[in-house]
Amino acid sequence: MKMTKRIVCAAGMLSVLLYAACADKDSIPATVTFTEHVAPILYSNCTICHRPGGAAHFALVTYEDARKNAGACAYVTRERMMPPWPADPGYTEFVGQRLLSQRDINILDKWAKEGSPEGPKDKLPKLPVYPAGSMVGTPDLRIAVQPYFLPKNSYDKFLLVKVPYELPADTFAALIEFVPGNKNMVHHVNGDLVKYEFDKKKDVFAGERVVNMALDTATIVQAYVRLGLPNDDGSYPVLQKSVVNFLPGASGQKYPEGIGGYTLPRKGAFLLNDLHYGFTNKDDVMDSSYINIFFAKGPPNRPVREFQIGTLSSFGNAPVLPDLIIQPNTIKNVYSRYVLPDDISILTVNPHMHLLGKSFKAYAVQPNGDTIKLISIPRWDFNWQYFYTFKKMVKVPKGSAIIAEGVYDNTRQNLNNPNSPPKLVRDNNGSMKATDEMFQFIVTYLPYQAGDENVSLENK
Ligand code: HEC
């Protein structure tokens, strides 16, 4: 391949124009510079997180930033650790996937090896403009999450947080967005909506706002009571799952007109299930995150539905098999399987495991035996658990088996193993503690309608 290209390029030298086009596309320039070649790659793929105030601890904006980190950037891109995108693009592709081409990787590599020259200053492209306060636009409503204080030198925290609200009337929302106050402290959030019937709950603001799930030995039900989630008569209100999710670099998913959306009852609360704060270094940190709401004109036409298989499966009939008990110093394979009672159109998928996860794969087997690929994560990364949105809805026919397979590594070779020496680790009633394990595959979908498979879900 390389040889042919060179020959074509050489022939093209007869015509300067043709040569330029050819050289631009695939070959690596003789001298790679920051302003001409490296900055364009960093600005389209990295600075969304690597900029002052971004999700990463260091910026890759100026020549100085990039020069200092040239070797590390070459390494993490060659190993495909950055930009973080654990899903294998050769298996399935998703909206917003961040992937470098082999040429980009080679450019970063050559630049690091050959002294990292700056290049002509006037060639530096403009840094993209990043929206402040929202990745989406101007919200109609903003609800503050109770500010949370993280003292210096503190460890990972997994919090269960209640964000109550009261509105003048039932309201329709197209999109609900979580915005971290301190971008490099908030690792991820998965939030549900607690929907109260107006007369059943006097005061949605009563109760605690935060329960630290890693510290407290509280069961999930005890935690719910402390947060004041039950109705006044002790019964439980309706919980709508996964209405608001956050991971650094991922923006809220806006579906095409008529798909998705939420009804926000007059009285409600967002329940942030595992607001995960990372380590603090030498400074105290105060986090003031908030939730942005973008209103919709009417009620959701085709509300998005969700099921999960594995730990705490939605139907109780798609458990983790054979079980999620992982002996020390072993590799364990598990799976979960669920047969669809109806045709569905899948919008997003979200694989979930904790620190012992090694790989994850999910697919559907149709009644005729054909396979529909859903997602493969060859190298599990606890820090990057996206809700992956398909570029077009994926139709999966009635009678298909949705199968998720996971591999866990409870040996010393797993650098993320929280126990040294390794200890027995198991699921613990859906405990969200990172040191217990989970195996879940969450699918959001619509009942199938003709033509769904042609509907693009790309963000406009
Ligand atoms: C979605 C956000 C995001 C994107 C996009 C991203 N990074 Fe990162 N990167 C991070 C986070 C978070 C870390 C972890 C360290 C931290 O918190 O600063 C990190 C760490 C790194 C590290 C340090 C690795 C280590 O082990 O110390 C390098 C180097 C790096 N990124 C380079 C890049 C490059 C080059 C790109 C683009 C090709 C990129 N990153 C894109 C979020 C991102």
Side-chain angles (χ1 to χ4, degrees):
M1 267 308 277
K2 262 232 163 89
M3 214 46 204
T4 342
K5 247 171 218 143
R6 255 203 218 131
I7 292 163
V8 176
C9 286
M13 281 178 85
L14 292 172
S15 146
V16 178
L17 263 181
L18 184 58
Y19 177 70
C22 190
D24 246 353
K25 252 189 128 183
D26 284 308
S27 61
I28 305 282
T31 309
V32 171
T33 70
F34 175 71
T35 56
E36 292 166 288
H37 313 106
V38 171
I41 298 172
L42 299 181
Y43 292 4
S44 359
N45 299 285
C46 319
T47 46
I48 181 140
C49 298
H50 289 276
R51 66 189 149 102
H57 285 106
F58 63 97
L60 290 172
V61 173
T62 64
Y63 171 58
E64 233 0 75
D65 294 338
R67 195 190 55 77
K68 274 191 306 214
N69 295 292
C73 287
Y75 173 74
V76 296
T77 51
R78 187 167 64 236
E79 293 294 319
R80 297 212 176 262
M81 292 151 67
M82 288 282 148
W85 190 261
D88 174 4
Y91 195 74
T92 39
E93 300 210 331
F94 299 95
V95 172
Q97 61 187 22
R98 282 198 189 89
L99 296 167
L100 293 189
S101 66
Q102 192 56 49
R103 177 178 187 266
D104 292 341
I105 293 170
N106 294 345
I107 284 181
L108 294 177
D109 189 58
K110 186 171 157 92
W111 188 65
K113 284 195 180 122
E114 296 180 357
S116 312
E118 181 168 14
K121 282 199 163 57
D122 62 337
K123 287 281 161 61
L124 184 66
K126 274 218 164 70
L127 188 68
V129 179
Y130 295 104
S134 167
M135 299 281 282
V136 183
T138 310
D140 298 298
L141 179 67
R142 177 167 286 178
I143 302 175
V145 177
Q146 168 129 318
Y148 195 77
F149 177 71
L150 299 148
K152 63 184 169 205
N153 299 318
S154 67
Y155 288 95
D156 269 71
K157 288 197 171 46
F158 291 85
L159 308 179
L160 187 65
V161 179
K162 179 173 95 162
V163 188
Y165 71 82
E166 197 168 340
L167 297 167
D170 288 357
T171 304
F172 307 114
L175 182 79
I176 303 169
E177 179 190 31
F178 179 91
V179 182
N182 193 304
K183 290 204 188 61
N184 60 53
M185 288 308 304
V186 181
H187 281 204
H188 70 255
V189 172
N190 169 242
D192 304 335
L193 174 61
V194 185
K195 300 173 121 172
Y196 290 105
E197 285 175 51
F198 189 77
D199 297 332
K200 287 202 165 171
K201 182 83 176 168
K202 219 179 262 134
D203 183 6
V204 289
F205 298 94
E208 293 172 48
R209 295 294 170 88
V210 179
V211 177
N212 184 332
M213 295 306 287
L215 272 191
D216 296 308
T217 46
T219 64
I220 196 81
V221 173
Q222 286 165 340
Y224 284 176
V225 170
R226 278 172 55 183
L227 295 174
L229 289 187
N231 290 316
D232 297 334
D233 66 4
S235 63
Y236 274 88
V238 170
L239 191 75
Q240 186 175 353
K241 301 282 286 173
S242 296
V243 301
V244 53
N245 298 300
F246 169 79
L247 258 188
S251 61
Q253 181 63 38
K254 220 176 195 166
Y255 293 123
E257 196 68 37
I259 294 179
Y262 310 92
T263 303
L264 301 177
R266 279 179 71 176
K267 283 181 181 169
F270 295 99
L271 181 64
L272 308 178
N273 281 308
D274 47 357
L275 177 55
H276 175 194
Y277 287 113
F279 299 94
T280 51
N281 292 332
K282 49 189 189 323
D283 298 315
D284 292 346
V285 175
M286 185 63 122
D287 178 58
S288 305
S289 298
Y290 49 88
I291 291 171
N292 284 337
I293 297 175
F294 300 81
F295 291 160
K297 289 189 197 84
N301 247 339
R302 298 182 70 193
V304 173
R305 305 185 188 190
E306 176 180 308
F307 66 78
Q308 63 190 42
I309 64 175
T311 312
L312 301 177
S313 72
S314 308
F315 326 100
N317 63 357
V320 186
L321 295 169
D323 56 41
L324 196 56
I325 301 172
I326 311 163
Q327 300 293 339
N329 305 307
T330 63
I331 306 275
K332 171 124 185 177
N333 289 31
V334 300
Y335 74 97
S336 183
R337 182 175 182 280
Y338 171 65
V339 177
L340 295 175
D342 296 296
D343 291 353
I344 64 170
S345 301
I346 298 185
L347 298 157
T348 72
V349 291
N350 168 238
H352 181 59
M353 306 198 273
H354 290 173
L355 295 161
L356 297 185
K358 187 178 164 72
S359 66
F360 190 105
K361 187 180 246 183
Y363 51 90
V365 180
Q366 302 182 59
N368 69 6
D370 287 355
T371 297
I372 300 172
K373 293 175 181 174
L374 295 176
I375 187 164
S376 170
I377 297 184
R379 193 163 50 176
W380 179 255
D381 186 338
F382 178 72
N383 287 316
W384 302 104
Q385 308 199 31
Y386 295 106
F387 274 73
Y388 293 91
T389 302
F390 287 102
K391 293 188 166 180
K392 287 182 176 168
M393 283 189 253
V394 176
K395 179 188 176 184
V396 185
K398 173 181 173 164
S400 302
I402 303 264
I403 297 169
E405 299 170 346
V407 181
Y408 291 84
D409 181 349
N410 194 5
T411 69
R412 283 174 197 273
Q413 275 71 51
N414 179 352
L415 299 178
N416 298 316
N417 198 326
N419 303 308
S420 172
K423 286 201 303 213
L424 184 142
V425 172
R426 59 172 303 159
D427 57 342
N428 212 339
N429 249 328
S431 154
M432 289 176 297
K433 270 194 242 173
T435 47
D436 290 329
E437 267 305 334
M438 283 179 95
F439 179 70
Q440 277 182 334
F441 184 54
I442 303 172
V443 175
T444 67
Y445 71 98
L446 299 170
Y448 176 74
Q449 276 180 14
D452 274 355
E453 54 275 70
N454 303 319
V455 176
S456 165
L457 301 175
E458 303 268 3
N459 283 320
K460 306 249 159 53

